Amino acid sequence: MAETLFTKIINRQIPADIVFEDNDLIAINDINPQAPVHILIIPKKVIPTINDLTEADMPLIGKMVFLAKKLAYEKGISSDGYRLVYNVNEGAGQTIFHLHLHLIGGRKMNWPPG
Ligand code: 5GP
C-alpha cells in the first residue's frame, strides 16, 4: 500500500506534534486546528476509510474512541463537550486516505455541521 502522509509521520520522516503513541495508535495535534483542541487519532495500520473496515478492526476502532475519551479528559474538555469525527471520502471532506478520528473541542460547536 502506498505511503500516506500519516505513515510518514509515524515513521518520523516528517515532523508532527505527537500527543500520544503506543503500538497501535499515534495521536497528533492537527496542523490546521479548527478549535482550541484538535487532535487526530491515527491507527498505525493503514486503513484508507471507514468503508474499508473489517470485523477484525473492531478492537482498533474501540481503542481509537477510548483514547479520544482519555485525551478529552486530559485536555479539560470532557464536561463542556467535544466532537468526534470520521470524515469518509471526498464528499464528507476526507483529504488524507489513512483512517483518522478528529477530536475537536474547546469551543461551542454548531449543529448541523457544515
Ligand atoms: P481529513 O480532511 O482527511 O478528515 O483530515 C485531515 C486532517 O489532517 C486535516 O484536519 C488537516 O488539517 C490535517 N493535516 C494535513 N496535513 C497535516 C500535517 O502535515 N500534519 C498534521 N499534524 N496535520 C495535517
Side-chain angles (χ1 to χ4, degrees):
M1 191 167 287
E3 267 204 344
T4 69
L5 176 76
F6 291 154
T7 307
K8 290 182 180 147
I9 288 175
I10 291 162
N11 293 335
R12 306 297 198 274
Q13 291 165 275
I14 57 174
D17 189 3
I18 297 169
V19 297
F20 175 88
E21 183 169 23
D22 69 8
N23 287 338
D24 298 318
L25 304 177
I26 192 167
I28 61 174
N29 283 318
D30 197 291
I31 206 167
N32 182 25
Q34 300 303 309
V37 176
H38 189 168
I39 295 172
L40 304 173
I41 296 169
I42 306 162
K44 292 187 172 177
K45 176 182 177 184
V46 180
I47 301 168
T49 82
I50 285 280
N51 288 338
D52 301 297
L53 289 177
T54 68
E55 275 194 49
D57 297 317
M58 286 170 63
L60 188 61
I61 297 300
K63 269 195 90 167
M64 292 174 79
V65 174
F66 197 75
L67 178 59
K69 172 213 144 163
K70 283 206 295 190
L71 291 175
Y73 180 77
E74 283 172 24
K75 297 290 177 185
I77 59 173
S78 293
S79 304
D80 283 348
Y82 55 92
R83 193 165 287 173
L84 300 181
V85 176
Y86 287 101
N87 291 324
V88 183
N89 278 342
E90 285 94 343
Q94 186 173 4
T95 57
I96 298 180
F97 287 80
H98 180 153
L99 196 70
H100 50 284
L101 176 60
H102 295 257
L103 164 60
I104 304 167
R107 66 166 169 82
K108 184 87 179 86
M109 299 282 165
N110 297 318
W111 194 264

